[in-house]
Amino acid sequence: MPSNKILEQKQEIVRNLAEKMRNAVSGVLVKYEGITVEDDTKLRAALRAAGVDYSVMKNTLTGRACDEVGYSEMKQYLSGMTAIALATTDPVAPAKILKEYAEKIESFEIRAGFVDGQLLDAAGVNELADIPSREQLIARMMGSMTSSLYGFARCIQAIADKNGEGAADEAQAPAEA
């Protein structure tokens, strides 16, 4: 039986993880096996750069945190070596980065996740990863807006050119008559 000190440490870990999960806009559970130290270092650096909190934790502790937050259904994915990535700002970032690594490393797989309180299976997380980033969506929107404005400006210029040519012809016609 664990001592009170160890029990208190575990309860603190569960409380901290539960709080992180509550504050997260999204999270992804992955099967954390078969990844080399080099790949793990690159993965953690990419997640850190995107503002994603990534940790490998005991499944029982993660399961208790899931219960505390209301994500009890995620406990079914907690077997073997599992890691969790939590994002507080960009909901797509953990899914995108982890999907990239899951495609490279065969034994590293996405298991489940959540976005804004909605639980997702692996397919749902992969769909989330395929969503363009916020910056890409803004660039697309701006591109479509500017192309419409350019088209409108060309139409106005064509009308002005046409009217300008007609006025020049009329000005020359009375002089000739």
Side-chain angles (χ1 to χ4, degrees):
M1 178 152 185
S3 69
N4 285 337
K5 183 179 178 183
I6 293 173
L7 189 59
E8 287 173 12
Q9 288 173 346
K10 288 182 178 183
Q11 288 172 341
E12 183 64 26
I13 291 169
V14 170
R15 270 193 301 275
N16 288 338
L17 180 58
E19 188 61 30
K20 287 179 185 179
M21 289 174 79
R22 271 190 209 94
N23 295 331
V25 292
S26 71
V28 178
L29 279 177
V30 293
K31 177 182 171 188
Y32 182 81
E33 288 179 10
I35 187 167
T36 65
V37 173
E38 182 182 345
D39 286 335
D40 183 53
T41 304
K42 289 178 186 174
L43 170 66
R44 287 175 186 269
L47 290 167
R48 217 177 358 266
V52 177
D53 181 42
Y54 181 76
S55 48
V56 177
M57 197 166 290
K58 286 187 166 209
N59 290 332
T60 54
L61 299 178
T62 304
R64 288 193 177 145
C66 287
D67 284 339
E68 222 175 278
V69 178
Y71 296 150
S72 297
E73 292 177 34
M74 285 181 58
K75 287 171 52 176
Q76 65 183 320
Y77 302 104
L78 296 173
S79 62
M81 293 177 62
T82 317
I84 188 166
L86 302 167
T88 55
T89 54
D90 184 1
V92 180
K96 265 192 187 315
I97 295 167
L98 292 171
K99 181 181 179 188
E100 178 185 326
Y101 279 85
E103 289 172 349
K104 284 193 245 179
I105 303 163
E106 192 174 312
S107 61
F108 187 86
E109 71 180 52
I110 293 173
R111 291 199 168 161
F114 65 90
V115 175
D116 292 328
Q118 298 288 65
L119 295 179
L120 304 171
D121 60 1
V125 174
N126 285 322
E127 284 179 30
L128 179 65
D130 292 336
I131 293 174
S133 69
R134 181 176 186 268
E135 291 78 21
Q136 289 172 325
L137 291 172
I138 290 171
R140 285 182 187 178
M141 184 181 78
M142 295 304 292
S144 61
M145 287 173 61
T146 56
S147 69
S148 298
L149 290 174
Y150 285 133
F152 179 69
R154 281 191 222 111
C155 287
I156 297 294
Q157 184 62 46
I159 292 170
D161 290 347
K162 183 178 179 182
N163 288 341
E165 289 175 15
D169 291 342
E170 289 175 15
Q172 291 175 358
E176 292 174 10

